[in-house]
DNA sequence: GCTCTTCTTGAGAAAAATATCAATAAAGAT
DNA sequence: ATCTTTATTGATATTTTTCTCAAGAAGAGC
């Protein structure tokens, strides 16, 4: 079963529906990786999808665990398809991102799950820190 | 030296200035903990601070490590003063937050620092997961 | 096929957040 | 204290994001 078909099934099982608009947005994300809402809209507007629908759908897909929101250091959201085994570490000054493999966090997340009762294994995290070059910048010191 | 005086000094050392507007915003955060930009504005508007200045100042203080931005699960930002030894874990469905002590993450963050060169010890993290009650909800399954 | 229920969308209004630019004011030097 | 430099603010316009609500469409049952 294709990735999109599986998502359709997931949504139907929860009482939701897979619509042409949602398909178009998923395909845009599938094709391009990280996209802001405005970039998604650029890619799907030709199909008649409204701007409001783009925002609504991205939030909907995020709440359902199908796409992940990455909070850039500038406070803007970008979205990407789920299924990755990594998280992101973003510099709070310049916004540069690097990947952090799931296993780097596995032990800590397990402990947190045990202590809090939250489940953290199925989601995307955006960590914030200072990248090497911004550490030397005088404006970057904490 | 008071907390606010230290922040003034920090900013001056970087070529910035401590203004009445920035002081008012810092005091609002000091008094109330987590606040959204709109809530901050409610508390400082009486002093004549503009809405645009609130947004600008919060982003400025965040980039300088004086306040931390917490990204709620709804995509809205809230801000809080720095200096805490804990992070936040927020449910991606209902937004409920719990605290996560720094030591729970210390080992993982040390490893990530070594591998990436980023510095993570002076910052606030917002982790995202599923809270216990939303795990049972059919709409919450991943 | 038809009906019913309810999830979804589009259109437009509303609110939140950002950008521009001239005027203001803070910090340092004289 | 005064002057100079330039960071900072307010006012305004603009963009981005959210909300409301009636119309449209998907799925279930008959």
């Amino acid at each position: 079963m294709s990735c999109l078909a599986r998502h359709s099934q997931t949504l139907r099982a929860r009482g939701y529906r897979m619509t042409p608009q949602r398909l178009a947005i998923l395909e845009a994300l599938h094709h391009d990786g990280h996209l802001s809402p405005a970039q998604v809209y650029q890619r799907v507007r030709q199909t008649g999808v409204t701007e409001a629908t783009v925002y609504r759908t991205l939030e909907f897909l995020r709440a359902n665990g199908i796409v992940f929101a990455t909070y850039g250091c500038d406070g803007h959201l970008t979205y990407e398809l789920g299924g990755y085994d990594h998280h992101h570490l973003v510099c709070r000054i310049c916004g540069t991102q690097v990947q952090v493999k799931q296993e780097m966090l596995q032990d800590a997340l397990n402990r947190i799950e045990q202590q809090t009762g939250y489940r953290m294994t199925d989601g995307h995290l955006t960590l914030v820190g200072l990248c090497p070059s911004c550490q030397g910048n005088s404006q970057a010191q904490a």
Side-chain angles (χ1 to χ4, degrees), chain A:
Chain A
M1 176 165 50
S2 82
C3 186
L4 293 177
R6 194 171 63 247
H7 291 320
S8 302
Q9 212 173 42
T10 302
L11 290 185
R12 262 201 306 277
R14 297 179 195 167
Y16 299 127
R17 299 163 190 171
M18 180 56 76
T19 64
Q21 292 87 345
R22 286 173 183 171
L23 263 181
I25 289 169
L26 279 173
E27 280 168 4
L29 287 172
H30 184 67
H31 186 270
D32 280 325
H34 289 78
L35 291 176
S36 68
Q39 291 172 318
V40 172
Y41 177 61
Q42 283 302 320
R43 286 162 176 73
V44 300
R45 63 184 307 175
Q46 52 183 344
T47 67
V49 177
T50 305
E51 216 166 358
T53 297
V54 170
Y55 284 101
R56 256 187 316 220
T57 301
L58 288 172
E59 163 59 21
F60 169 85
L61 294 172
R62 184 202 60 75
N64 279 276
I66 292 174
V67 306
F68 295 137
T70 301
Y71 303 91
C73 92
D74 57 356
H76 285 163
L77 291 176
T78 63
Y79 293 87
E80 67 176 330
L81 275 180
Y84 296 117
D85 66 337
H86 67 266
H87 307 278
H88 285 108
L89 170 54
V90 51
C91 175
R92 74 169 152 81
I93 302 294
C94 67
T96 306
Q97 294 194 2
V98 297
Q99 294 187 3
V100 175
K101 288 219 174 301
Q102 168 70 21
E103 56 253 37
M104 297 284 287
L105 285 165
Q106 194 61 62
D107 291 345
L109 297 187
N110 286 343
R111 273 201 303 275
I112 293 172
E113 285 191 336
Q114 282 203 325
Q115 182 166 319
T116 64
Y118 276 55
R119 186 148 52 91
M120 309 192 60
T121 43
D122 63 317
H124 182 276
L125 294 178
T126 301
L127 308 174
V128 181
L130 277 179
C131 76
S133 66
C134 285
Q135 287 173 35
N137 185 328
S138 69
Q139 299 185 1
Q141 310 292 333

